[in-house]
Amino acid sequence: MTGLTVERLGPAQTRAVAERIAGAFHDLAATRWLVPDAAKREAVLADNFEILVDHAMRHGLVHATADRSGVAVWFPQSGDPAPPPADYDERLAAACGEWTERFQHLDTLFEAHHPHDDHHHLAFLAVAPQRQGRGVGTALLRHHHAALDAAGVPAYLEASSERSRDLYARHGYRVGQPFRLPDGSPFYPMWREPGGR
């Protein structure tokens, strides 16, 4: 699929972006561990993701295809990772309830493996399930990679499945040693030099 228009979103779209990510991530191994109750998972994920998308609206970049079938959330990083969102611990507990400790464990894992060189961090790339495999994610990646390549800035992400790992590899990301949740679910840290070298 070609010719998809990508737009930058503003704060009014925060909840819609969080819900798009939650819907796309509902069946991942990692989210099944984070929220074992399938009936509650999507709502808990959306509440959690809303905290991070809100933070990105203020301190990062949030892009979407014009039809909102795909979204990407980026955080520019210089030196050490940016501080967490305001009142993060309280907001996390309110969003995640009985599973808060699992989300805290994931945060600790991400922090331990995050690179310190300047880069843009792709926190989320999410496509509606019925639109996956049709070039939506590729359009979002190409859009921001063009800006990163022009500025000579690398990119980093944590792929949460083999399918997403392979997608990112096709866009110039190199995979590092995976790290795992307590149940064995992997995350693949991936780094992309400008130009996909």
Side-chain angles (χ1 to χ4, degrees):
M1 181 180 291
T2 58
L4 285 172
T5 301
V6 175
E7 305 169 347
R8 185 172 178 182
L9 301 184
Q13 297 295 315
T14 297
R15 183 66 190 183
V17 172
E19 290 175 351
R20 169 63 69 223
I21 301 167
F25 287 12
H26 182 271
D27 292 325
L28 293 174
T31 57
R32 290 197 303 267
W33 179 80
L34 286 168
V35 185
D37 186 337
K40 297 181 179 179
R41 186 178 305 137
E42 192 163 338
V44 172
L45 291 174
D47 289 347
N48 172 253
F49 296 151
E50 186 172 5
I51 300 168
L52 302 172
V53 175
D54 175 66
H55 195 54
M57 291 292 185
R58 304 165 193 273
H59 301 288
L61 299 161
V62 180
H63 296 140
T65 52
D67 64 0
R68 305 297 187 261
S69 63
V71 297
V73 177
W74 293 89
F75 286 100
Q77 307 268 273
S78 297
D80 291 331
D87 303 316
Y88 180 69
D89 291 340
E90 294 82 0
R91 293 166 73 189
L92 186 71
C96 303
E98 64 188 285
W99 299 294
T100 299
E101 288 186 4
R102 293 186 178 218
F103 284 85
Q104 290 170 331
H105 182 88
L106 180 60
D107 287 345
T108 300
L109 276 178
F110 281 165
E111 184 176 347
H113 292 88
H114 203 103
H116 295 288
D117 295 336
D118 291 357
H119 63 281
H120 278 205
H121 176 210
L122 178 58
F124 302 109
L125 178 70
V127 177
Q130 68 273 20
R131 294 291 302 281
Q132 292 176 8
R134 299 187 183 181
V136 176
T138 290
L140 287 161
L141 289 170
R142 287 179 176 165
H143 175 81
H144 197 60
H145 288 165
L148 295 180
D149 292 349
V153 176
Y156 171 77
L157 58 85
E158 304 98 352
S160 55
S161 69
E162 292 182 359
R163 181 181 181 187
S164 62
R165 177 199 64 193
D166 294 347
L167 167 69
Y168 297 128
R170 292 194 296 273
H171 288 273
Y173 287 84
R174 295 183 181 175
V175 64
Q177 187 67 29
F179 56 92
R180 297 179 184 276
L181 293 171
D183 71 341
S185 298
F187 282 93
Y188 303 92
M190 304 187 74
W191 182 265
R192 181 186 184 273
E193 290 293 338
R197 298 187 299 275

